Amino acid sequence: MKFIHRKARMAGRKNKGMLVCLTAAGLLSSCALYQPQPIDLNRETAEWARMSAELCGGKRSLSIPEIRRIGLLLNPELNQARLTLARSTSVAEFAGLWDDPSLSAEVERVLQEHITNGVISPSLSIPVTGIPAISKRIAEQYKEADYWNMREKERAYLAELDILCTKVQVTHVKLDALRARLRQAEQEKSKVTELYRLGEISFADYQVITRRVSDLLREVQEMESEYLNRHLELVKQMGLHPSVREIEVSEHLVRGVPAMVSAPAAEQLLESPSIRAQLASYGAGEEELRREIRKQYPQLELGFTYAHDDGNDKVAPGISFNLPLWNRNREAIARATGDRDIKKQETLAVWRELLTQSASLKDRGELAEKHCREELNRIRSLAEAVEHQQKLYDMGEIQLPELADARQEHFTRRMSYLDSLSELLEIRTQLQYLNPQFTEKQ
């Protein structure tokens, strides 16, 4: 009977050992495993070029909506913001979990008596202070802040991209106007040179027109450089591979002076992504302070001890907690309080900046619209003057230098008008994207 009883005990111990091994294997199998992801720059570059060519569809000229769509997909900074949101979303999914239970085991062998004693002590922390729930709320707040930060980056990016498209259009028009004026000035120079040889005009008039051709040639070269830089900047902002860098904007520059858009009201600015991101970040700061204050109080830990001692099985329940006598987490509370105050100041600074920017853009826009209309009126008056001078020149009433001066003045005012128009369109775009309702439509 003793042999059977000993054999049964050995079988029981074997079964317990197998159960422990299986439990450990199950726990280990649920753990995350490291998977290396080496960067293959050649493969990444080839995929970048393929995607860029596919999105452009082999077209050299893209509409502004197509440029926006490609930019939103490929811009590196936007993709970085999306990865940040994905990270905070993953963190929020697993935040607020209880601490895993702990298990300690101890085996004692009495050599003289061939007796083995064992102790197993599992324990579990009970979050009576609610810290896991607060941690969950903190992670959700940061997730929301990252979401609105991403939306803010998209808003700022689309505004910048639209402004860049406008500058590309203006550069096209100015370059075409410069080249046309240069061709006209070269014809004037050719005629004036012949007249100067015949002694029909003065050297001063000849010198002015000759210098004007040189100045126009330099301006054409400068505008060609600006033209190239604008297009390279557009390709970079869109995130395209350099192999498809010859991209044009299909829309033409707006004609006339567009009406100024209204500035968003303060109630509308409250829905701005930048404000909502700051408010979410401030909410996280408040929850972090609440968590540090809760850490002053004891954490409750429940457990029991199972012991096999000299053939006897013993079970002893236990409870433990820390005593907040002098530490009381004061350092962390002070840091969290300071962080919350900093976030509050950052939120107020962003709000004031939005109000200031809205008012500033409104004033600048009204002035830019006024200047634009004044320049347009001057251009129309000068165009009539050029037409009148042309008639007088055809009738022989005036000489070519006088007609050339009228043409140059008309050209100069036209270039000034394009600069004013570019400024007006830029301000309009900034005001439009400052309005959250307009951003939602885009």
Side-chain angles (χ1 to χ4, degrees):
M1 291 296 293
K2 290 182 179 179
F3 175 74
I4 295 174
H5 182 64
R6 187 182 303 164
K7 187 174 182 181
R9 283 193 299 171
M10 293 178 62
R13 291 175 183 174
K14 184 176 181 181
N15 290 336
K16 289 180 181 179
M18 291 181 62
L19 181 60
V20 171
C21 291
L22 291 174
T23 303
L27 292 174
L28 290 175
S29 64
S30 63
C31 294
L33 299 177
Y34 170 71
Q35 294 182 353
Q37 292 185 353
I39 299 177
D40 187 344
L41 292 179
N42 291 328
R43 182 178 61 82
E44 295 290 342
T45 303
E47 177 64 18
W48 180 26
R50 184 198 65 78
M51 184 177 295
S52 298
E54 181 179 330
L55 289 173
C56 291
K59 294 188 293 185
R60 294 278 300 277
S61 181
L62 298 174
S63 66
I64 292 180
E66 289 175 327
I67 290 173
R68 291 180 188 140
R69 178 178 61 85
I70 294 174
L72 288 173
L73 288 173
L74 295 184
N75 183 263
E77 293 183 2
L78 295 183
N79 287 323
Q80 185 71 29
R82 293 177 184 122
L83 289 176
T84 301
L85 174 60
R87 179 186 63 185
S88 59
T89 301
S90 180
V91 170
E93 181 180 357
F94 299 105
L97 298 177
W98 285 21
D99 291 339
D100 289 328
S102 61
L103 178 67
S104 63
E106 185 178 327
V107 178
E108 178 185 64
R109 177 70 174 176
V110 182
L111 297 178
Q112 290 80 2
E113 300 180 10
H114 301 288
I115 298 174
T116 301
N117 299 324
V119 178
I120 298 177
S121 301
S123 64
L124 175 65
S125 296
I126 307 298
V128 293
T129 56
I131 289 179
I134 296 177
S135 298
K136 179 71 173 179
R137 293 198 297 269
I138 292 172
E140 290 292 340
Q141 290 279 9
Y142 279 123
K143 170 187 170 183
E144 183 179 356
D146 286 339
Y147 169 77
W148 289 113
N149 277 324
M150 181 196 70
R151 294 292 302 275
E152 170 61 19
K153 287 184 180 294
E154 289 179 346
R155 182 206 67 81
Y157 171 74
L158 288 174
E160 185 178 355
L161 192 62
D162 280 11
I163 290 172
L164 183 56
C165 288
T166 298
K167 290 181 178 180
V168 168
Q169 293 171 325
V170 171
T171 305
H172 275 254
V173 176
K174 292 176 77 172
L175 183 58
D176 290 342
L178 274 167
R179 286 172 173 168
R181 178 60 188 137
L182 177 61
R183 290 192 296 269
Q184 190 179 54
E186 288 175 339
Q187 294 173 359
E188 293 169 354
K189 178 184 175 181
S190 177
K191 293 179 180 179
V192 165
T193 301
E194 184 64 26
L195 292 173
Y196 175 67
R197 288 175 181 173
L198 296 174
E200 296 185 11
I201 62 170
S202 65
F203 175 74
D205 289 335
Y206 168 75
Q207 193 176 27
V208 167
I209 291 181
T210 302
R211 187 185 302 115
R212 182 177 295 157
V213 171
S214 300
D215 293 341
L216 285 169
L217 181 59
R218 186 187 68 255
E219 290 181 27
V220 168
Q221 293 172 345
E222 292 174 353
M223 191 55 61
E224 286 175 343
S225 297
E226 184 176 349
Y227 174 90
L228 176 61
N229 291 334
R230 294 294 188 198
H231 282 76
L232 293 177
E233 186 180 357
L234 178 62
V235 171
K236 179 182 176 181
Q237 288 285 54
M238 293 173 64
L240 290 171
H241 189 272
S243 60
V244 292
R245 62 184 176 275
E246 296 180 358
I247 295 298
E248 297 286 352
V249 180
S250 61
E251 286 92 342
H252 296 291
L253 185 64
V254 62
R255 292 181 178 274
V257 180
M260 194 59 199
V261 298
S262 60
E267 293 77 10
Q268 293 174 309
L269 292 177
L270 286 173
E271 299 299 320
S272 174
S274 59
I275 287 296
R276 300 183 74 168
Q278 286 296 138
L279 290 175
S281 180
Y282 177 72
E286 287 204 307
E287 293 295 336
E288 286 173 335
L289 176 58
R290 182 177 286 110
R291 180 177 61 184
E292 298 304 328
I293 291 175
R294 292 285 182 88
K295 287 181 181 180
Q296 296 177 106
Y297 307 111
Q299 285 289 96
L300 184 63
E301 187 172 307
L302 301 178
F304 72 94
T305 300
Y306 167 79
H308 181 79
D309 188 9
D310 293 335
N312 297 319
D313 293 332
K314 302 176 182 179
V315 176
I319 182 172
S320 65
F321 55 88
N322 62 310
L323 297 176
L325 296 179
W326 50 76
N327 187 337
R328 298 183 185 178
N329 203 34
R330 294 178 182 178
E331 180 184 356
I333 291 174
R335 185 180 298 108
T337 302
D339 290 342
R340 184 186 65 170
D341 293 341
I342 291 172
K343 290 179 179 179
K344 178 181 179 180
Q345 182 60 35
E346 290 175 349
T347 303
L348 293 176
V350 171
W351 172 243
R352 292 170 182 173
E353 174 62 24
L354 275 177
L355 292 176
T356 303
Q357 184 182 11
S358 177
S360 174
L361 287 173
K362 177 179 179 296
D363 293 342
R364 289 175 53 205
E366 292 174 352
L367 185 60
E369 183 181 8
K370 175 176 175 291
H371 289 170
C372 217
R373 294 191 185 281
E374 290 174 350
E375 289 293 340
L376 188 59
N377 290 332
R378 291 191 191 100
I379 289 174
R380 290 169 180 168
S381 298
L382 289 171
E384 294 175 358
V386 169
E387 184 178 355
H388 179 67
Q389 294 287 79
Q390 182 69 51
K391 292 179 180 179
L392 293 177
Y393 174 74
D394 293 339
M395 292 185 298
E397 297 291 332
I398 61 172
Q399 293 185 331
L400 182 58
E402 296 176 71
L403 175 61
D405 289 342
R407 290 171 175 173
Q408 183 63 25
E409 178 64 18
H410 176 263
F411 166 76
T412 301
R413 301 318 305 179
R414 186 184 177 195
M415 299 297 283
S416 179
Y417 162 74
L418 290 173
D419 290 335
S420 299
L421 179 61
S422 178
E423 182 183 4
L424 174 61
L425 294 176
E426 180 177 345
I427 294 172
R428 289 182 81 256
T429 300
Q430 289 178 333
L431 272 176
Q432 285 174 333
Y433 279 101
L434 202 61
N435 190 331
Q437 296 177 354
F438 178 83
T439 305
E440 289 292 336
K441 294 178 183 179
Q442 296 303 104

